């Protein structure tokens, strides 16, 4: 129904996550309204991302050079590896300012329903890095796929390096959490992972 | 926190309507994952829209040539003009298959709060077209801005062509509408615009 070039752009926008027909239409109409300079900038930004971004050859995070900033930082403790599913998680963790080790990005999670198998993830590199590590912290999400991936990695790491310390981030009530709003799984974890209070 | 090229793309996505920091981030990360060919296509689609799209010189709708498809169609009744705020409304109306006249796109609505004045809209061209018309159907939304615009146009058209028939699309309960769910404005319109039933 729309002119061909507009329909084409709508189709492109629909490939973005969570974008349906209506939203894609709104985006495309907005582009049609923008001035040419702005649209040119947008198109160039798209191409630049594809041209410049690489996966860090050590941890698998997105970066612009050979190695990401964290892996290039000699101040970080390379013996402790925090394993996450995506680069977004690194940003969240770095904001806490509480962690001085390095990261490893799986770029996905094992998912039976989506057909994502261990071979599709950045696991081989983790296994090699783990050789020189003191602790591997499994910090995949506490969702079904996240738990599955953590269990898989725990077994794999343990089988390969029986003496390596493999830990899982704590499950429990979030800060400010109300008991009567928490789901059963969270409450069960909060109970089983309880710890002794200091005197 | 993200590599520079990714941050730049996130900024671009944020210029789209309703896109906040989180959504822009998700879109940009999706682009980083796509294969280069697909991203190139996306960038080209953006530029093509800007290069090809024009406003139809008759009705003001977006199109790729001098005149839009509807204005180029000799089968349409050019004496009846259906006035809408945006090209999207034409698509909605055409889907009904009930209308054989032509359209006029204002490309906006008069809005005091947004500072949009009659001069910012495609009204001069409407006034010229109205000279040869038999009926002007004002079909702006039944929102505050839509009603304001309709009232403004009605007065302007009536002052310029006292004999021209100017109508407003009907207000009332939508199909399948429940009386006890309808707002007061809708019910008041449904009452005042009631019509005699056929025997």
């Amino acid at each position: 129904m729309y002119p061909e070039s507009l329909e084409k752009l709508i189709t492109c926008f629909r490939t973005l996550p969570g974008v349906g027909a209506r939203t894609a239409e709104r985006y495309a109409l907005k582009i049609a309204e923008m001035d040419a300079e702005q649209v040119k900038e947008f198109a160039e930004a798209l191409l630049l991302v594809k041209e410049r971004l690489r996966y860090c050859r050590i941890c698998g995070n997105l970066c612009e050079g050979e190695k990401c900033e964290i892996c290039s930082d000699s101040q970080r403790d390379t013996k402790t590896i925090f394993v996450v599913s995506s680069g977004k998680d690194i940003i969240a963790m770095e904001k806490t300012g509480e962690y001085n080790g390095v990261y490893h990005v799986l770029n996905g999670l094992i998912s039976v329903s989506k057909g994502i198998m261990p071979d599709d993830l950045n696991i081989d590199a983790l296994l090699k890095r783990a050789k020189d590590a003191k602790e591997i912290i499994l910090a995949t999400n506490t969702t079904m796929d996240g738990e599955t991936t953590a269990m898989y990695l725990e077994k794999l790491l343990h089988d390969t390096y029986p003496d390596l310390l493999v830990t899982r981030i704590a499950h429990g009530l979030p800060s400010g959490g109300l008991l009567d709003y928490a789901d059963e799984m969270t409450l069960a974890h909060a109970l089983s992972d309880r710890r002794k209070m200091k005197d």
Side-chain angles (χ1 to χ4, degrees), chain A residues 11-187:
Chain A
T11 313
C12 286
F13 275 124
R14 289 204 61 175
T15 60
L16 296 176
V19 175
R22 280 286 175 130
T23 306
E25 199 177 288
R26 273 171 63 217
Y27 290 172
L29 288 172
K30 174 75 187 188
I31 296 288
E33 271 176 23
M34 284 183 185
D35 51 69
E37 192 51 44
Q38 215 180 342
V39 176
K40 202 172 149 235
E41 223 171 88
F42 203 143
E44 281 165 2
L46 280 170
L47 296 173
L48 201 66
V49 153
K50 221 43 231 179
E51 192 188 302
R52 286 224 202 132
L53 278 195
R54 303 274 176 279
Y55 290 112
C56 167
R57 67 175 168 76
I58 296 177
C59 73
N61 191 17
L62 284 170
C63 65
E64 291 192 351
E66 278 275 286
K67 273 159 73 173
C68 74
E69 270 181 55
I70 293 171
C71 288
S72 311
D73 184 347
S74 61
Q75 302 295 306
R76 312 279 306 211
D77 164 20
T78 56
K79 299 274 181 197
T80 311
I81 304 175
F82 193 93
V83 180
V84 293
S85 68
S86 132
K88 278 188 277 195
D89 303 327
I90 294 184
I91 291 185
M93 194 59 195
E94 286 294 291
K95 278 184 189 155
T96 68
E98 295 284 326
Y99 182 66
N100 194 44
V102 291
Y103 294 92
H104 191 86
V105 183
L106 299 172
N107 285 313
L109 290 170
I110 297 170
S111 169
V112 178
S113 60
K114 293 182 199 148
I116 303 175
M117 292 297 134
D119 282 353
D120 301 322
L121 304 178
N122 185 25
I123 290 178
D124 282 349
L126 176 63
L127 214 55
K128 275 179 210 140
R129 291 179 80 190
K131 189 167 177 281
D132 305 312
K134 244 174 29 202
E135 181 178 358
I136 306 281
I137 306 168
L138 300 177
T140 49
N141 298 332
T142 56
T143 56
M144 175 91 91
D145 292 344
E147 295 291 1
T148 306
T149 308
M151 278 190 294
Y152 175 86
L153 290 178
E154 197 276 329
K155 191 173 177 329
L156 181 70
L157 288 164
H158 191 81
D159 287 353
T160 319
Y161 311 108
D163 297 327
L164 179 65
L165 176 63
V166 180
T167 57
R168 178 90 173 104
I169 46 159
H171 291 43
L173 284 175
S175 291
L178 303 174
L179 249 79
D180 58 343
Y181 278 79
D183 62 292
E184 289 160 42
M185 203 75 143
T186 300
L187 271 186

